[in-house]
Amino acid sequence: MILSLIEHEDGTPSDVSLQMLTLARDIAEQTDSSLAAIVFDDGDAVTDAVATQGVEDVYSVTHDRLDVYAPEAWAESVDQLVEELDPEAVLAAGTDRGHEVLAHVVARRDLPMAANCTEVDAGDAYEVTRQRWGGSLIEHARFDSGMPVLTTAAHEIAAEPATEAADVTTHDFTPTLDDDDFRVRVSRREESDAEGIPLGEARIVVGGGRGVGSSEDFDQLEELAELLGGTVGSSRAAVNEGWRPHDDQIGLTGAKIAPKLYVACGISGAVQHMVGCKGADNILAINTDPETSIIQKGEYAVIGDLHEVVPALNEAIRNGQ
Amino acid sequence: MEVLACIKRVPDTGSRIVLTEDKQDIDTSNLGFTMSPHEECAVEAAIELTQSHGGTATALTLGPDEATEQVRTALAMQADEAVLLETDGSEWGAIDTAQAIAEHVRNRDEELDLLLFGNESADAGNYQVGVRVAHELDLPCVTGIKSLTVEDGTAIAKREVSGGSEVYEVELPAVISVKEGLNEPRYPSIRSKMAAQRHDVERSEPERTAAVGLEKIRLETPEQSEGSAEILGEGPEAVDNVMEVLSNDLEVL
Ligand SMILES: Cc1cc2nc3c(=O)[nH]c(=O)nc-3n(C[C@H](O)[C@H](O)[C@H](O)COP(=O)(O)OP(=O)(O)OC[C@H]3O[C@@H](n4cnc5c(N)ncnc54)[C@H](O)[C@@H]3O)c2cc1C
C-alpha cells in the first residue's frame, strides 16, 4: 500500500494533492500495490475526488482535539497509521504542511525524507528525481533503506485521473493523542488586508528589477500593470534595495507566479528568479542588454531602456483604449 | 534570552549553475559563497530579539573551515557569538547535520531559549533540519514562519496561508524555522566587519553519525528551452510591435 496525505479545503483536495496522487498512483502501479489516502477533518467529503485518482482506501482521521491544525498531532496520527498499515511508501504534497508533517514523521522513525520529488523509480531500491535550488537543479538519489517518505514538487506533475475511478472504502481512524502532541497548534487566524490581485493568481505580472533604479520609477510599472489588469512583482535585487516589499518578490525565496504574461523590466533572469516565473506562459523582457539571460529564456524581448519603453507602451495602450 | 541561529553556506550562483565533471556538486571554482537567505533572516531575528530582550545571539554553521566567512558575516551584523561545527567539506545530509547541531546544543553551558533555522536551505532544499533538531531535543517546533515576536516566554509566530496567516503561540524553549520576508537583514558596516574578523569563533569537529539516508547519485541541470526570445525591436520604436503581440498573439488587450 502507498499511503498519501491529502490536504483539502471543505472537501476539495488541493491541486498539489491531486498532482501528488498522480505520482503516488504511478508508484502503486510500479510496485503492484494499492493506493490509500489519509484525510484530516472529513474523509467522506473527498471520496469522489480521490476516487478519480485511483485511491481505494481513505483513512479519515477524527479526534475531538484536532479541530485546528497541530503539526505534531497530525504527525503522530500519520505515525500510528503507518504502524498499523505498514505501507510501502508515504507521500505528501510539497507544501508547508506536507513538508512539516512528514519531517516530524521521519524524525520520529529515524528515516530519511526526499523533498520535492518529480519522479520515482520503485525498483529494488527507490530512486527519486528531486528538485534542488527550487528546481534550477535536479538531483537523482536513492533511498538506502527503510520506508521511503517523500514530498512531491508543487506544480511539476500534471494531475491526471486514473483510467478507471476506484471504489473507495472510508475507514474512520481515531488516533491516541496526548497533551504533548498539542504543544504547537494554530491559536488563531488573521485575515490579510492586502489589496489587489495576489501575485500567485495574477493573469498579468509586471516585474521590475535592479534596472528600474528607484522606488519612484516603479510608478511606470504600476501604471502598466493597471492598464493590463495585472499586478507588480519584483526581483530580489529590487527588494534588497528597499524599493519594494518582500511580498512582491518573485523567485526561489519569494512568490511563484503562473501568469499568461510576465513583463520583466530590468531583470537579468538569474536562476533563483526564473524558479519563480517558470510557470509563466509568456515572458516579455525589456532590457538594455541583449545578452542578458532572461532574453535567452523568454518568448519576446525589447532591447532598450525601460524608462523610455514602458512610458511609451503605457501611452500606446492608453491611446488604443 | 539565549538565541541560536543556524545558518548554511551556499554557492552564490548568480545566473548559471555549472556542475563538476563527476556531476556530484556545483562547480564553485568561479563562484562566491553566501548565507542562505532564509537564514540571513534568522540571524537578523536573533539579533533583534536579544537587543530588545537582552541576552546573546549566537550564529552557528556546520561546514568547512571556509564557512567561518558566513558566521563572521553574522558577527558583523551584530551577532554576539559564533560557532563553527567543522567538517571536511563533503555534503552532510539532513539527519547527520541535525544530530551534530543537537549534540552541540546539549553540550552548551548556556541553555537556549530559541533555536532559529531557515525553513529550507537554498541549495539542498531538504525542509527538515529544524524539525529533526527539535525532535532530538524534545522541543516544540514551528516551520515556515514569516513573523516572530516574543512576549513573556512565549513565541508568537505567524505563517502565511491563503488569504491571511495562521498564528502559533509556542512556549519557549522552542525551535522555529523562518522564511525570507520575516525581516530586513541589516547590512554590516565596514567597522563591524573589521571587528568581526578579530572575534573568536568557537570550533569543534562533530562526529558524523552513520545515518541511513538518501544517497545522492548525481546532479543534473534542467534542460533550457532552446532558442531565444523574439526581438520586437529597440527602444520606444518597438512599441508598435509590442502592441501587436499584446493584442493579437496574446490577446491580453
Ligand atoms: C540563495 C539565493 C536565493 C535567491 N532568491 C531570489 C529570489 O527569490 N528572487 C530573485 O529575483 N532573486 C533571488 N536571488 C538573487 C539572484 O541571484 C539575482 O541576484 C537577482 O535576481 C538579480 O536581480 P535583478 O535581475 O533585478 O538584478 P541584476 O542581475 O543586477 O540585473 C539587472 C538587469 O537590468 C538591466 N538593466 C539595467 N538598467 C536598465 C534599464 N534602464 N532599462 C532596462 N534594463 C536595464 C541589466 O541589463 C540587467 O539585465 C537569490 C540569490 C541567492 C544566492
Side-chain angles (χ1 to χ4, degrees), chain A residues 210 235-236 249-250 252-253 266 268 272-273 287 292 305-306:
Chain A
R210 202 192 308 275
S235 73
R236 186 163 185 252
Q249 184 173 314
I250 296 163
L252 178 64
T253 47
S268 62
Q272 295 90 355
H273 186 76
N287 205 299
T292 209
D305 187 340
L306 69 95

Side-chain angles (χ1 to χ4, degrees), chain A residues 97 111 130 140 236 253 301, chain B residues 124 132 166 180 217 220 232:
Chain A
R97 284 189 184 182
L111 289 172
R130 63 176 290 263
H140 298 276
R236 186 163 185 252
T253 47
Chain B
R132 287 187 191 272
E166 293 174 338
E180 201 181 32
I217 302 169
E220 196 185 307
L232 300 176

Side-chain angles (χ1 to χ4, degrees), chain A residues 59-293:
Chain A
Y59 291 87
S60 173
V61 183
T62 48
H63 189 282
D64 48 11
R65 291 183 74 182
L66 277 172
D67 52 337
V68 291
Y69 173 66
E72 287 179 86
W74 277 41
E76 178 58 31
S77 309
V78 173
D79 195 64
Q80 288 174 18
L81 267 171
V82 165
E83 197 58 42
E84 190 175 314
L85 302 172
D86 191 23
E88 272 251 355
V90 179
L91 281 81
T95 60
D96 279 349
R97 284 189 184 182
H99 284 132
E100 180 172 65
V101 172
L102 291 197
H104 276 290
V105 172
V106 292
R108 281 153 192 258
R109 296 193 155 254
D110 219 357
L111 289 172
M113 171 175 104
N116 287 332
C117 297
T118 53
E119 279 172 56
V120 175
D121 182 356
D124 287 344
Y126 271 59
E127 282 189 14
V128 297
T129 304
R130 63 176 290 263
Q131 294 186 335
R132 295 176 65 134
W133 285 98
S136 48
L137 201 58
I138 294 166
E139 176 182 353
H140 298 276
R142 182 188 301 119
F143 279 99
D144 276 344
S145 60
M147 176 183 71
V149 176
L150 53 103
T151 65
T152 54
H155 305 302
E156 283 296 319
I157 307 157
E160 283 165 20
T163 35
E164 258 178 77
D167 266 338
V168 185
T169 315
T170 308
H171 313 261
D172 286 325
F173 181 77
T174 306
T176 313
L177 301 171
D178 60 32
D179 284 348
D180 263 5
D181 299 317
F182 293 93
R183 287 187 296 188
V184 176
R185 63 195 289 278
V186 174
S187 3
R188 60 178 187 279
R189 243 191 89 111
E190 282 177 4
E191 301 311 315
S192 148
D193 47 14
E195 285 168 26
I197 317 161
L199 266 181
E201 290 159 33
R203 208 173 72 95
I204 312 276
V205 175
V206 179
R210 202 192 308 275
V212 177
S214 71
S215 61
E216 292 75 37
D217 286 332
F218 263 91
D219 289 352
Q220 303 162 6
L221 275 60
E222 292 279 5
E223 190 182 347
L224 178 58
E226 202 180 316
L227 289 166
L228 294 171
T231 298
V232 170
S234 79
S235 73
R236 186 163 185 252
V239 175
N240 283 351
E241 293 289 348
W243 304 335
R244 302 300 292 185
H246 182 270
D247 286 350
D248 281 5
Q249 184 173 314
I250 296 163
L252 178 64
T253 47
K256 313 279 182 285
I257 60 168
K260 177 154 190 185
L261 172 65
Y262 178 42
V263 188
C265 310
I267 292 177
S268 62
V271 281
Q272 295 90 355
H273 186 76
M274 298 314 289
V275 163
C277 62
K278 66 180 175 196
D281 292 341
N282 294 281
I283 296 177
L284 163 63
I286 303 176
N287 205 299
T288 41
D289 176 5
E291 302 292 321
T292 209
S293 166

